[in-house]
Amino acid sequence: MGRYLRLLAVQFRASAAVAMQYRVEFLVEGALALFWTGWSLVPLLVVYGSREAVAGWSFDEALVVMGWFTLMKGVLEGAVNPSLTTVVEHIRKGTLDFVLLKPADAQFLVSTAKFEPWRIIDVLGGLVIFAVAFHRMGRLPEAGGVLAACLLFAAATVILYSLWIIVVAAAFFVVKVDNLSFLFVSIYDAARWPASVFRGALRVIFTFVVPLAVMTTFPAEALLGRLAPPRALLIAAGAVAFAGLARAVWLRSISRYTSASS
């Protein structure tokens, strides 16, 4: 465990060094991340401009969902997406051999190969949105709600990562999966809205198939003190099961991999 933590620190330092190598680009990317964080609030302001609530969610409560969306977007685009998109190129060019030959777990190596440090602005932006939302509501989240929200944040990160592993594993069978990754990112955009906004099949899909509700709506409910503790534990158990499924899919995919030299 300690060995992998040290390896993770090395991978992160390498990504930070590469990002800081071109300082102007680093600052521009940081400024763009800040701009898009603010821009993501526009749809919410438009929708709530003429009504008090949508699907039982007031503007301030919807801000909490938006905070989780922004925070998880930082995790997705800063830690999950950069590394796993390079796996597709490795498979296509046959260079995954160099990863498989290293004396460490291949899934860990490909999952920590690259980070985008300026995406920390999205994470901080999510925390600022939380502060604004609870300031407008005139109260603070309860300690139990914060603990449940932290648990669900970990569960949401695991589910997000596991979904990406399953998507990337498709590259072992179908080389051209770029559009699939774009589709996933586009679908994630729906997570900015509370799950109760969606009806019928879309609500089922966003809760159980692509569990966007677990990533933003349920953590927001926990922070607002609406989510019962047993439900939070059930979601955490589901995240562990999802991670197990992703691990099984990855190992199955690796077993079918043949390099470019084969």
Side-chain angles (χ1 to χ4, degrees):
M1 185 64 180
R3 176 169 168 255
Y4 280 95
L5 287 176
R6 289 194 296 275
L7 187 54
L8 176 63
V10 169
Q11 301 271 53
F12 186 80
R13 282 201 301 272
S15 294
V18 170
M20 291 293 291
Q21 186 175 2
Y22 304 98
R23 296 183 181 179
V24 174
E25 182 179 339
F26 181 85
L27 294 174
V28 169
E29 292 289 351
L32 285 175
L34 189 62
F35 169 78
W36 287 117
T37 299
W39 185 258
S40 66
L41 295 174
V42 173
L44 201 65
L45 294 171
V46 171
V47 169
Y48 280 92
S50 57
R51 64 197 74 185
E52 293 291 329
V54 175
W57 289 74
S58 68
F59 175 76
D60 296 335
E61 292 167 345
L63 264 184
V64 180
V65 177
M66 181 61 75
W68 280 107
F69 169 78
T70 305
L71 192 153
M72 292 305 301
K73 186 180 177 186
V75 173
L76 172 65
E77 298 186 354
V80 178
N81 198 343
S83 295
L84 295 184
T85 50
T86 60
V87 180
V88 178
E89 286 300 313
H90 277 311
I91 296 170
R92 185 179 302 164
K93 296 177 180 176
T95 54
L96 190 64
D97 307 42
F98 300 115
V99 178
L100 297 176
L101 290 173
K102 292 180 180 177
D105 184 78
Q107 184 178 343
F108 178 84
L109 290 176
V110 299
S111 301
T112 59
K114 184 180 179 183
F115 296 96
E116 302 285 0
W118 52 79
R119 286 295 174 187
I120 192 69
I121 291 178
D122 287 322
V123 177
L124 297 176
L127 298 178
V128 170
I129 293 174
F130 291 153
V132 171
F134 280 95
H135 175 72
R136 288 173 55 91
M137 285 186 278
R139 67 183 180 89
L140 293 173
E142 297 177 358
V146 173
L147 288 176
C150 290
L151 175 65
L152 291 182
F153 170 68
T157 302
V158 169
I159 290 174
L160 190 62
Y161 167 73
S162 300
L163 273 174
W164 250 113
I165 284 290
I166 293 172
V167 169
V168 166
F172 288 95
F173 304 93
V174 183
V175 175
K176 190 70 176 176
V177 296
D178 303 46
N179 293 336
L180 193 59
S181 62
F182 288 138
L183 175 64
F184 176 77
V185 173
S186 300
I187 290 175
Y188 176 74
D189 203 50
R192 71 177 64 232
W193 303 104
S196 55
V197 169
F198 303 99
R199 302 292 181 189
L202 279 179
R203 190 167 181 177
V204 173
I205 290 172
F206 291 157
T207 302
F208 299 104
V209 182
V210 184
L212 300 181
V214 175
M215 300 176 196
T216 58
T217 302
F218 292 158
E221 288 182 341
L223 210 53
L224 291 167
R226 296 179 180 176
L227 194 73
R231 198 176 182 190
L233 293 174
L234 184 63
I235 292 170
V240 173
F242 215 79
L245 173 65
R247 178 67 176 175
V249 170
W250 171 261
L251 293 177
R252 174 67 176 167
S253 302
I254 284 290
S255 69
R256 296 174 62 90
Y257 172 70
T258 54
S259 70
S261 59
S262 298

